[in-house]
Amino acid sequence: LCFMLKQLDKIEEELIQKIFKLSIEKFNGNNSLFARMSNCSEGSIRRIFKNEQKMTFHMLLKLCYGLEIDLKDILAEINTTIIKK
């Protein structure tokens, strides 16, 4: 179980890094604008980027909406395979 949780954390970290990169490109680092376009609080985005808050699936969908990108496109470059130990 612990091994699986570490894998999930790594997947989430990669997703956050990808979203952070895309938000920098689209909003020039303006988290306030990104938050408005994603219909969420700037504080939540900041905490997610600083790894102070977990990203829920609901939040992931909101961030994809703000970035105007499909979830499948963000996941396409990330290894989401969970390996049993």
Side-chain angles (χ1 to χ4, degrees), residues 7-68:
Q7 290 180 81
L8 291 172
D9 286 343
K10 182 168 176 26
I11 291 168
E12 182 181 21
E13 182 182 322
E14 289 179 34
L15 277 170
I16 291 169
Q17 289 174 1
K18 176 74 174 175
I19 290 169
F20 179 75
K21 181 182 172 202
L22 291 170
S23 74
I24 294 293
E25 292 170 4
K26 186 168 182 77
F27 301 107
N28 297 315
N30 186 337
N31 286 342
S32 180
L33 180 56
F34 183 29
R36 281 195 305 273
M37 297 303 290
S38 302
N39 196 29
C40 64
S41 74
E42 182 180 358
S44 290
I45 289 178
R46 193 176 329 104
R47 285 189 299 274
I48 287 169
F49 286 165
K50 288 181 170 182
N51 201 28
E52 296 173 353
Q53 176 179 324
K54 290 288 188 184
M55 181 172 52
T56 64
F57 186 71
H58 187 254
M59 179 61 82
L60 176 58
L61 293 175
K62 285 179 151 190
L63 298 179
C64 288
Y65 177 81
L67 291 167
E68 298 178 319

Side-chain angles (χ1 to χ4, degrees), residues 65-76:
Y65 177 81
L67 291 167
E68 298 178 319
I69 189 167
D70 288 337
L71 177 60
K72 66 178 173 36
D73 296 330
I74 285 188
L75 293 174

